[in-house]
Amino acid sequence: MRRAVAWLALAWAALLLAAALALFGSGFLLVRLELPHRSACALPPGPGAAAGRGPGSCWLPRRRFARAVLVLVDALRFDFARFEPARRAPRAFQNRLPTLHRLAGRHGRLFRFRADPPTTTMQRVKALATGGLPTFVDAGSNFASHAVHEDNLLAQLAANGRRVVFLGDDTWQGLFPRAFARAHFFPSFNVKDLHTVDDGILRHLLPTVDGGEWDLLIAHFLGVDHCGHKHGPDHPEMAKKLSQMDEMLKSLVDHLANDTLLLVAGDHGMTGTGDHGGDSEDEVNAALFVYSKVPLFHSDPPEEPETVPQVNLVPTLALLLGVPVPYCSIGEVMADLFALEGDATTSVLAQLAAYGVNAKQVNRFLHSYSLAAQDISSEKLHRLQDLFAAAVEEHERLLAQEGPPELSHLEHLKSQFRHYLQEARAVCAESWARFHPARMVAGCALLISSCLLCYVASTVVSGLDYSYRHLLFYPVLWGLAGAALFGLACYLSGGAGMDLLLLASCGAAASQCGFFWHCWARRPGRRSHATSARPLSGGISLRQRLWTGLGPGIPWGILLARCGAMQSDSFVMAEARVAPFLLISLVLLMVLRLQWEGRLEGRLRSSPLLWLLGVILVCTRLSELFWQCREETPCCRSSPALAPLSSLQDPRAKNFYYVVCLAVVVCLVWGTRCWLRHYGNLNSPSALVLFVRWGFPLLAVCIGAYWAITSGAEEALVQRYEWLQLALVAFPRGVFSLVLTGLLLVLWNPVTVFVKDSHEQVRTGAPIVSPSSQAELLHVIPQLYRRMQESLKSRLDEARGGGSGATVAAYGLGSVYSAALLISLTLLGFLLVTLHSERLSLAFLLLFLEAFALLWVHTCVLTLSPQADPFTVPWSALVAWALAAAQFFYVTGHQPVFPAIHWRAAFVGFQEGHETHLLPALLVGANTFASHILFSAACPLLLLWPFVCEVPGSRGRKPKLEAHDKEEQMMEMRLREAPEKFSSALLQLGLKYLLVLGLQILACVLAAMILRRHLMVWKVFAPKFLFEALGFVVSAVFLLLGIGLVMRVDCAVSLWFKQVILAQPR
């Protein structure tokens, strides 16, 4: 029961921190307010705009085109579409679309189509349909699209009796579920699939065009984007894909009628590695090509293409097709497409008519939006209103005057409209970073108090005079009462709806108040305890007292320095280099402190630490081979080791790396089995041990076979042979199944102890009485363990003398907790290695080596400190553990930015895609936060490892008596001598680690709140906050699972002891 309450108390503390994060996030990551208003043909935006007199026109006298075809080539970067005949040796993505170059002139023109970040597909599609700007938080829902309720171009076409037909990416189905008269959707999530979507579109494209039952035809191709994700832009497969698009365009143009407008566009670009999501030049510079069989332009295209914001497409296409501009659009019409045949004055007047309608529509939206939200300051609104009024007044004056106006006056008026529209868009882009300051401050305050609670609770549980009622039961009751009162107040006030987040936050705050109140009420006992303990330090020298005071200050200083540096965008961008430096500095200071205290005298004590320091330094240096560059550092080049083996062209290099990666997996299997064999945990006939013997090698075989196919087989070869497609699914799913089986076996029976009886019964000491209660069992267990140790020693002595052995011997009992945890960590390691590219297995090898080196350093430091409590994990070990987790987040090829996410992990074992978003989100999350998972789950080893590695004479004492040696060799069974202290130690360990994680996320929260108007907030601080918040949630979950596993082993060991006791002769 005490174990369960301790685990629940830890879960309660984690939930308090999570509630604080959620409250802050609700104030920091707000979406833009969406207005329910919709444009209508009968409701023009201003007095100068009216229903047109021509057939099918609205707001303008006539529509220019009856139909339009929008060919959306996902990730069509601008330089992919630009053709340079003088280039003699083009790269794979250059000069592959000659059809666009051939069509350019008076009939067609290429534009630089500039996207607004975040450059993810869903946000770009929304912008291309609504003409609005996305917000940062939308990037997180790129693969969980929700229906667009805002007014949009597709809705306007449908409302005015136009037929919209769609072919391609099924993202549109989730965004616009009822907008299409006919559609052929194809799954888009599998970035490894280059052909399914494109081939499906090509089967239907030309028959649909020839059928004529459409007014707007949208074809969204994904092959170029997926090729970038899989191979990068400079790859032969990219040349094939672009050539396929060129052939498609060549055939499509021949089937177009004269009244049809063709638009070929990219929704975003891609980086040099094929990723997107950020705001680098390569990501925001897409291509737009506009073409018609009738002349569109009055002049040849300029030498340098014009830059057009993507939001400009919506008002332009709406007015060209004769439908109202969507209500919330803030784009500017592309004036060149509205120039009519005739003299220059007539053309400019037609352009001014489009500008006038466009400006009035934007002004109407800004007026409505300012009434519904207070995002835009009144000063900026008045300034925009003055610009708008001046332009409209000048326009009306020119239209009212007799005779043709001067061309210079018309051009000046055109520039006035353009200036107003551009200023309006700039003001919206600046103002739509909406914050809720009250929620942000409340979330920050709740996070600070949660961190303080973790610190106080970890101090409280270090003594055994605390009560779980005051630690958990009473605070939870306070929280429930606070939430109930808040809910009642909301109900009585007549609120429209209950905000569950505010309800949970109020409950969390009340729960913390209850905890601090009960701690304050029990403070006299704490003072007397502290006062009685203070005189013990009187005999300590000044130097020792100085180091005793500075001891906890060293890790705290490094942790706080890292947290303080998070207020700098330069530090966040360079954290991948700084985290290993801080880790090495902390370890060196720990060793120097021992040297200063004179505890490293003698070669036998200093040599192991020096070797361990060397291992950590080597691992840190080698980890620099795995470096993922950020987009803010254009001169940086990401490590080639991050790329999959399939990207290597040299067969010898590919074979060499494959053998090395396979050797890493074999080393993982061999190392785990050697450790288990060394401590006797590989002798049991249990199902778990049998799985370790046979399942681990089978896991290595599955991983090796999967890598052999992914690294060696060409795309065309895989598509040709069904058995290869089956193997690409079967082997990784085999890994998943084996890992799941192993973890279930660990939970079912985690005791890996082998008991051996001898025929001759040799008893030493008093007989063991069968316990009648749980308390008696806890008293008997250490006694039984000593009996086993004595029996084993007696059997060895008798064997040397030719006699018979003792009654019973248990192999592996002294490391039973660590064995179960190590097996689970190895299984998780297999799973995470499978989700990464092949050469990143070397990074995981470094992770395990450095983690075990840190454990040994921690053990050595604890062993050489005679006054250290073995049940208390020092802050230095916890801070080093957290720094190592941060270090290997970067070493495994990640950065806290969206373009660095390894989306391909979602399709390991699922080549055909997914029906839901939950499983791919879990796979991508496991890939991204692999280091957080492993280090958090392994956190209990910081408590267990010093007991596993105990030797006679440890903790600075010399072995004097034989009985003392036996006591020292009890290893992890020493934890069972004081079961209440064991549960408290696990709880204290978890609370301390949560505090370290909480301080790190608190630093990110403060940076995001203080610097919310900083130039780099959405590029650096907001992504850092999101990744740290998600990393904290993952770490907290796996910390709870790791500590819960140790408690499960403890329950299983108690049951095992009962069975052994009952089997003993009375």
Side-chain angles (χ1 to χ4, degrees):
M1 182 64 183
R2 193 174 183 89
R3 288 185 293 257
V5 176
W7 190 89
L8 289 174
L10 184 62
W12 166 69
L15 287 175
L16 293 179
L17 290 163
L21 279 178
L23 182 60
F24 176 83
S26 67
F28 179 67
L29 300 173
L30 290 180
V31 296
R32 172 176 57 87
L33 178 66
E34 294 184 356
L35 299 181
H37 309 302
R38 295 186 178 273
S39 299
C41 196
L43 298 174
R53 293 180 294 274
S57 61
C58 187
W59 291 5
L60 286 179
R62 59 185 290 266
R63 67 178 183 182
R64 189 167 186 186
F65 293 97
R67 296 177 177 178
V69 177
L70 174 60
V71 177
L72 195 62
V73 181
D74 208 291
L76 184 66
R77 205 167 69 189
F78 175 74
D79 54 347
F80 291 6
R82 190 171 193 174
F83 192 88
E84 300 180 72
R87 191 181 296 275
R88 296 184 178 181
R91 300 167 69 179
F93 57 85
Q94 293 174 334
N95 289 1
R96 303 296 174 181
L97 296 174
T99 298
L100 300 184
H101 179 70
R102 178 175 58 83
L103 296 176
R106 298 291 181 92
H107 293 261
R109 183 169 295 180
L110 179 66
F111 296 90
R112 193 183 297 269
F113 206 33
R114 193 165 183 87
D116 296 289
T119 51
T120 49
T121 296
M122 193 201 77
Q123 284 67 43
R124 294 294 86 234
V125 169
K126 289 175 67 174
L128 289 172
T130 63
L133 297 176
T135 54
F136 178 82
V137 73
D138 287 342
S141 56
N142 187 37
F143 294 99
S145 54
H146 303 283
V148 174
H149 301 290
E150 206 171 21
D151 195 12
N152 59 84
L153 179 61
L154 304 183
Q156 285 297 331
L157 288 167
N160 288 274
R162 309 296 177 85
R163 298 159 298 178
V164 182
V165 176
F166 181 82
L167 309 171
D169 184 356
D170 60 354
T171 301
W172 293 72
Q173 184 180 17
L175 293 174
F176 312 102
R178 293 178 296 274
F180 305 110
R182 193 169 75 255
H184 296 280
F185 299 108
F186 302 96
S188 61
F189 194 60
N190 189 355
V191 294
K192 292 187 176 181
D193 184 1
L194 309 184
H195 308 292
T196 298
V197 177
D198 292 3
D199 292 346
I201 296 174
L202 293 175
R203 286 195 304 270
H204 298 281
L205 181 59
L206 296 183
T208 302
V209 173
D210 295 336
E213 298 180 356
W214 53 274
D215 296 292
L216 174 63
L217 174 61
I218 304 174
H220 189 166
F221 291 88
L222 288 178
V224 172
D225 177 68
H226 287 187
C227 185
H229 284 296
K230 185 175 182 180
H231 301 291
D234 199 6
H235 192 275
E237 286 294 330
M238 181 63 77
K240 295 178 183 178
K241 263 295 153 191
L242 292 174
S243 298
Q244 183 187 35
M245 294 297 99
D246 187 71
E247 291 295 326
M248 176 271 300
L249 292 173
K250 187 186 302 182
S251 303
L252 177 62
V253 168
D254 295 335
H255 289 74
L256 295 180
N258 290 341
D259 63 348
T260 302
L261 178 68
L262 172 65
L263 302 105
V264 182
D267 57 342
H268 52 76
M270 67 173 65
T271 64
T273 58
D275 300 312
H276 57 87
D279 60 351
S280 66
E281 287 299 311
D282 285 341
E283 293 171 279
V284 300
N285 280 326
L288 172 65
F289 184 80
V290 184
Y291 171 80
S292 173
K293 287 192 172 181
V294 297
L296 276 176
F297 306 99
H298 291 280
S299 61
D300 293 329
E303 183 176 347
E304 182 61 29
E306 181 184 352
T307 298
V308 175
Q310 283 191 354
V311 293
N312 292 7
L313 181 65
V314 169
T316 301
L317 194 54
L319 295 179
L320 287 175
L321 294 177
V323 297
V325 178
Y327 195 94
C328 301
S329 170
I330 59 169
E332 171 193 347
V333 293
M334 300 170 62
D336 291 341
L337 299 180
F338 293 88
L340 301 177
E341 296 182 2
D343 58 5
T345 302
T346 304
S347 296
V348 176
L349 284 173
Q351 293 174 350
L352 284 175
Y355 267 128
V357 170
N358 188 191
K360 292 172 183 176
Q361 171 265 323
V362 171
N363 180 71
R364 182 181 66 177
F365 165 69
L366 290 177
H367 176 71
S368 301
Y369 191 84
S370 63
L371 296 177
Q374 287 75 40
D375 299 342
I376 306 175
S377 65
S378 58
E379 180 183 350
K380 293 179 179 178
L381 284 173
H382 287 312
R383 180 169 171 271
L384 289 175
Q385 186 63 34
D386 292 341
L387 292 175
F388 171 75
V392 170
E393 182 180 352
E394 180 69 15
H395 188 206
E396 292 176 352
R397 188 182 63 80
L398 286 175
L399 293 177
Q401 74 178 18
E402 297 181 358
E406 295 184 7
L407 186 59
S408 60
H409 289 171
L410 297 179
E411 292 291 345
H412 175 69
L413 179 58
K414 209 166 80 169
S415 65
Q416 283 184 283
F417 275 122
R418 293 196 63 182
H419 180 59
Y420 165 72
L421 292 169
Q422 290 172 2
E423 284 293 315
R425 178 176 176 273
V427 167
C428 290
E430 180 184 358
S431 303
W432 280 348
R434 290 203 313 136
F435 302 107
H436 197 302
R439 289 200 175 199
M440 293 172 65
V441 172
C444 186
L446 189 60
L447 187 58
I448 293 174
S449 62
S450 299
C451 292
L452 180 61
L453 182 144
C454 289
Y455 177 77
V456 173
S458 67
T459 305
V460 168
V461 300
S462 61
L464 296 179
D465 57 343
Y466 70 96
S467 169
Y468 276 116
R469 289 179 301 170
H470 299 90
L471 180 66
L472 178 64
F473 183 67
Y474 292 150
V476 169
L477 287 182
W478 277 60
L480 293 176
L485 290 175
F486 178 79
L488 181 62
C490 292
Y491 176 76
L492 295 178
S493 63
M498 182 71 66
D499 192 329
L500 295 180
L501 181 57
L502 285 180
L503 187 69
S505 302
C506 185
S511 182
Q512 291 183 13
C513 291
F515 172 80
F516 289 122
W517 169 261
H518 286 286
C519 286
W520 177 262
R522 293 165 58 87
R523 71 190 185 282
R526 289 278 169 250
R527 287 182 179 175
S528 61
H529 178 76
T531 304
S532 62
R534 193 170 300 153
L536 295 177
S537 61
I540 302 178
S541 66
L542 177 62
R543 187 174 69 173
Q544 289 177 333
R545 273 186 284 175
L546 179 62
W547 273 108
T548 301
L550 289 178
I554 294 174
W556 275 100
I558 290 179
L559 177 62
L560 294 179
R562 178 176 182 244
C563 294
M566 287 185 184
Q567 309 299 312
S568 167
D569 58 333
S570 300
F571 172 82
V572 175
M573 290 187 284
E575 190 180 14
R577 305 286 191 187
V578 179
F581 168 76
L582 293 177
L583 175 61
I584 293 174
S585 301
L586 176 58
V587 175
L588 285 174
L589 288 173
M590 291 164 57
V591 176
L592 289 175
R593 181 189 172 202
L594 292 175
Q595 176 65 30
W596 179 268
E597 294 176 346
R599 305 192 186 279
L600 292 182
E601 297 176 358
R603 184 174 179 180
L604 292 177
R605 293 187 175 184
S606 59
S607 295
L609 274 177
L610 292 178
W611 279 104
L612 292 171
L613 281 176
V615 171
I616 295 174
L617 286 172
V618 170
C619 290
T620 304
R621 284 297 182 183
L622 291 178
S623 66
E624 295 180 0
L625 298 175
F626 307 92
W627 173 257
Q628 174 73 41
C629 294
R630 293 177 62 105
E631 59 191 22
E632 298 90 351
T633 54
C635 298
C636 174
R637 293 185 63 86
S638 298
S639 169
L642 301 178
L645 289 181
S646 58
S647 62
L648 294 178
Q649 303 297 326
D650 186 2
R652 292 184 178 180
K654 183 181 295 187
N655 293 335
F656 170 76
Y657 280 113
Y658 174 77
V659 172
V660 172
C661 295
L662 194 59
V664 170
V665 179
V666 173
C667 287
L668 188 59
V669 175
W670 175 80
T672 305
R673 294 184 58 174
C674 285
W675 190 93
L676 295 172
R677 184 182 296 109
H678 175 73
Y679 286 102
N681 297 100
L682 206 59
N683 299 313
S684 172
S686 65
L688 179 58
V689 173
L690 291 177
F691 180 84
V692 173
R693 287 180 176 273
W694 302 104
F696 278 21
L698 186 57
L699 277 166
V701 170
C702 290
I703 294 174
Y706 175 66
W707 285 348
I709 297 174
T710 56
S711 62
E714 296 293 335
E715 181 72 23
L717 191 64
V718 173
Q719 296 293 331
R720 182 177 178 183
Y721 294 103
E722 293 185 1
W723 68 270
L724 282 176
Q725 300 179 27
L726 179 62
L728 279 176
V729 174
F731 284 122
R733 289 191 182 182
V735 173
F736 300 157
S737 301
L738 288 171
V739 169
L740 180 60
T741 302
L743 293 175
L744 291 177
L745 287 175
V746 173
L747 291 176
W748 177 52
N749 185 14
V751 179
T752 54
V753 178
F754 174 59
V755 180
K756 184 176 182 180
D757 295 321
S758 61
H759 297 290
E760 181 180 355
Q761 298 179 3
V762 180
R763 297 191 183 184
T764 58
I768 298 176
V769 181
S770 298
S772 59
S773 65
Q774 182 69 20
E776 291 184 9
L777 174 65
L778 297 175
H779 173 73
V780 168
I781 284 173
Q783 181 185 356
L784 177 61
Y785 183 77
R786 289 192 180 91
R787 174 67 59 81
M788 290 179 174
Q789 292 286 348
E790 294 168 1
S791 299
L792 179 59
K793 187 176 185 300
S794 174
R795 185 164 62 89
L796 293 175
D797 293 340
E798 293 289 340
R800 295 190 185 100
S804 58
T807 304
V808 60
Y811 297 92
L813 191 57
S815 56
V816 63
Y817 298 102
S818 300
L821 197 56
L822 186 61
I823 292 172
S824 302
L825 291 172
T826 306
L827 290 171
L828 289 175
F830 283 130
L831 173 65
L832 297 173
V833 165
T834 307
L835 294 178
H836 286 75
S837 60
E838 300 89 345
R839 284 183 283 183
L840 281 177
S841 59
L842 298 169
F844 280 93
L845 178 62
L846 296 176
L847 184 151
F848 280 102
L849 287 176
E850 186 171 310
F852 281 109
L854 289 174
L855 287 173
W856 278 102
V857 169
H858 162 56
T859 301
C860 292
V861 171
L862 206 61
T863 301
L864 296 173
S865 302
Q867 296 179 349
D869 181 7
F871 285 85
T872 301
V873 179
W875 289 106
S876 56
L878 290 163
V879 174
W881 208 246
L883 287 174
Q887 171 196 353
F888 280 96
F889 169 77
Y890 297 100
V891 175
T892 49
H894 299 97
Q895 285 280 353
V897 289
F898 291 110
I901 296 177
H902 300 174
W903 299 111
R904 62 174 65 92
F907 308 102
V908 176
F910 299 90
Q911 298 293 318
E912 71 282 1
H914 301 271
E915 295 181 357
T916 64
H917 294 291
L918 177 61
L919 183 57
L922 292 176
L923 293 175
V924 173
N927 174 283
T928 304
F929 301 105
S931 65
H932 298 74
I933 291 172
L934 291 174
F935 278 96
S936 297
C939 195
L941 287 177
L942 293 172
L943 175 64
L944 302 174
W945 204 258
F947 291 95
V948 175
C949 304
E950 273 189 349
V951 295
S954 62
R955 307 200 186 286
R957 296 185 294 266
K958 296 183 180 180
K960 297 181 180 180
L961 300 174
E962 184 179 350
H964 186 261
D965 291 349
K966 297 172 188 174
E967 181 181 356
E968 292 292 342
Q969 292 174 352
M970 288 183 64
M971 299 169 64
E972 288 182 346
M973 286 302 103
R974 286 170 55 90
L975 295 166
R976 296 194 60 88
E977 288 187 315
E980 294 185 358
K981 197 171 184 180
F982 184 23
S983 299
S984 301
L986 287 173
L987 176 56
Q988 184 189 41
L989 170 67
L991 290 170
K992 283 185 171 182
Y993 196 66
L994 282 179
L995 175 58
V996 173
L997 298 177
L999 289 175
Q1000 293 179 162
I1001 190 63
L1002 175 61
C1004 295
V1005 164
L1006 290 174
M1009 183 174 67
I1010 296 172
L1011 303 173
R1012 62 185 181 274
R1013 294 299 179 184
H1014 192 276
L1015 177 65
M1016 304 294 284
V1017 61
W1018 300 116
K1019 191 177 184 67
V1020 175
F1021 296 111
K1024 177 65 174 175
F1025 163 72
L1026 278 180
F1027 276 82
E1028 284 289 340
L1030 292 174
F1032 169 80
V1033 173
V1034 172
S1035 299
V1037 168
F1038 279 89
L1039 175 66
L1040 290 169
L1041 291 176
I1043 292 179
L1045 176 60
V1046 175
M1047 293 180 175
R1048 169 69 184 97
V1049 177
D1050 196 40
C1051 294
V1053 169
S1054 297
L1055 181 61
W1056 179 86
F1057 269 119
K1058 283 185 180 180
Q1059 296 172 353
V1060 171
I1061 292 170
L1062 293 175
Q1064 292 299 304
R1066 301 293 185 269

